[in-house]
Amino acid sequence: MKIGFTQVKLAIMPAWGGAERLAELVGRSTALLLVATGRTVEVREALRLGLVNEVAERSDFDEACRRLAEEFAQLSRRPRVRSSG
């Protein structure tokens, strides 16, 4: 699996601030290289760059989603701390 700005190969610039947000995540030089060339990166590289938060094998995808959902659900059960103010 790969990720990238493939619309660049169609001579279309990324819209909705995609290039700017990419530069904030990976730095200007890496963003310029990815956007100018339309180069794609493998998922492990995307994880290293901070473009994705987690990677799961296709066969483990449902279980990985379930575990993450359970983790979020546990957060909502914790008592909330109110600030005095």
Side-chain angles (χ1 to χ4, degrees):
M1 177 74 61
K2 293 183 177 189
I3 187 172
F5 286 105
T6 55
Q7 67 268 44
V8 171
K9 297 201 180 210
L10 300 172
I12 303 168
M13 277 301 293
W16 302 97
E20 291 84 358
R21 288 195 306 269
L22 180 65
E24 290 174 10
L25 282 173
V26 301
R28 294 177 82 188
S29 62
T30 301
L32 180 59
L33 180 67
L34 293 173
V35 171
T37 62
R39 202 179 281 179
T40 57
V41 294
E42 296 285 342
V43 292
R44 299 289 174 199
E45 179 70 359
L47 181 63
R48 187 188 72 75
L49 290 171
L51 296 174
V52 297
N53 294 316
E54 292 191 27
V55 174
E57 293 296 327
R58 193 177 298 265
S59 60
D60 298 329
F61 182 78
D62 289 342
E63 182 58 30
C65 288
R66 204 170 288 110
R67 278 194 309 268
L68 188 57
E70 288 172 4
E71 189 176 334
F72 285 138
Q74 292 299 319
L75 290 173
S76 68
R77 293 185 187 136
R78 293 182 185 161
R80 296 183 185 208
V81 177
R82 293 187 183 206
S83 61
S84 58

